[in-house]
Amino acid sequence: MTRNNPHLRGADPRVAGGRLTVDLDALAANYRFLAEQSTPAEAAAVVKADAYGLGTGPVVEALVAEGCRKFFVALPEEGLAVRRAAPEADIYVFNGLFSSEAASFYREGRLLPVLNSQSDLAIWEAHGWDDEDTPRPCALHVETGMNRLGLTPERARILAQENALTGALSPRLILSHLACADTPDHPMNRQQLESFQALCELFPDAESSLANSAGIFLGGEFLCDVTRPGVALYGSNPVSGTENPMRPVASVHSRIAQLRHVPVGGTVSYGATPLDRDTLVAVTATGYADGYHRSGSGAGVPLRAAVPEGAFGFIEGQRVPVLGRVTMDLTLFDVTDLGPDALQVGDFIELMGPNLPVDELAAACGTISYELLTALGHRFERHYVRGGDRI
């Protein structure tokens, strides 16, 4: 699929300003680890937002090869992309039904809606598809404290009573979302679990799912029947303040477009950041249009008042700091300490990867790894690697 899909190949390598490499072996290893941590529950996979920016097709194929049989997306079009890569999987769509016309997407892809409201319930009952032996298969999202999407506890109880009589819907899965799972001792976790368990009792024939990536590491009762790892699959640390057990999956490198010497007292980029020494500047062909956030700038953005250091690159075994403001298509790095002849135009500087973890870059940008990964642009040349070989 990867070789024949221009979208997944990304930009032509002869002219691309940057390169995104996705290590499918690391992805598979992360899934195996999370599945082990989820035992005795089944580990599904959250692959919304184009598999967190890394490409739905290759990611889903790699996860299917590891035994993953349940996937979660946000929107039905994402579900159709998963279906092409996983013909036999159960595919759940988080964001529910916007109108009766949406039901045709679910029917086409045999997608399972997550019903979040009275409107969703009514639309699916009237327009949903029937399985071989069950009417209108679906999942139900129940609200336990996040107050985002989901049926209120009162509405869930009414539905349970009504559906027991009519059998109009066939809930396969009851789910809710933990708000504070990445803070293991937060009291909200236990409150949500207890509320969720009480609501699951209303639907004894359905499986239950509460734990996201961080929730898996709460263990015990939080695991329920199905876990839903997302960002941890892609290499981000699922629990704040702990050593990251996940392998890095995505690496981003930017091509050097120009090397230039700027004397002490000179300035660089928008806002004219002054230099306090003679500086060798590497101008790289990646910027915020590619998802490399402007807030990672070395100077000239308000975040630097709170977090003094901006982002770094990595090349020739050394970290090199971003200079001045990141711009739309270009980012500057101070490579003086590498020496005058260490680099040349066309070399690549690592922006994120084994030497610069995604969570570290996210912290420098004042954001989270989710935002960085899903913002990765399609101007990168894309490499998918398995068994040491590009596929």
Side-chain angles (χ1 to χ4, degrees), residues 23-64:
D23 184 343
L24 296 176
D25 291 327
L27 174 77
N30 288 344
Y31 177 77
R32 291 193 299 270
F33 174 75
L34 292 164
E36 180 181 350
Q37 296 299 308
S38 297
T39 304
E42 175 185 1
V46 180
V47 292
K48 59 186 179 179
D50 195 28
Y52 286 55
L54 303 188
T56 299
V59 165
V60 170
E61 288 174 355
L63 293 172
V64 167

Side-chain angles (χ1 to χ4, degrees), residues 9 145 162 199 290 371:
R9 286 200 304 270
E162 293 177 344
L199 293 170
D290 305 289
E371 186 175 21

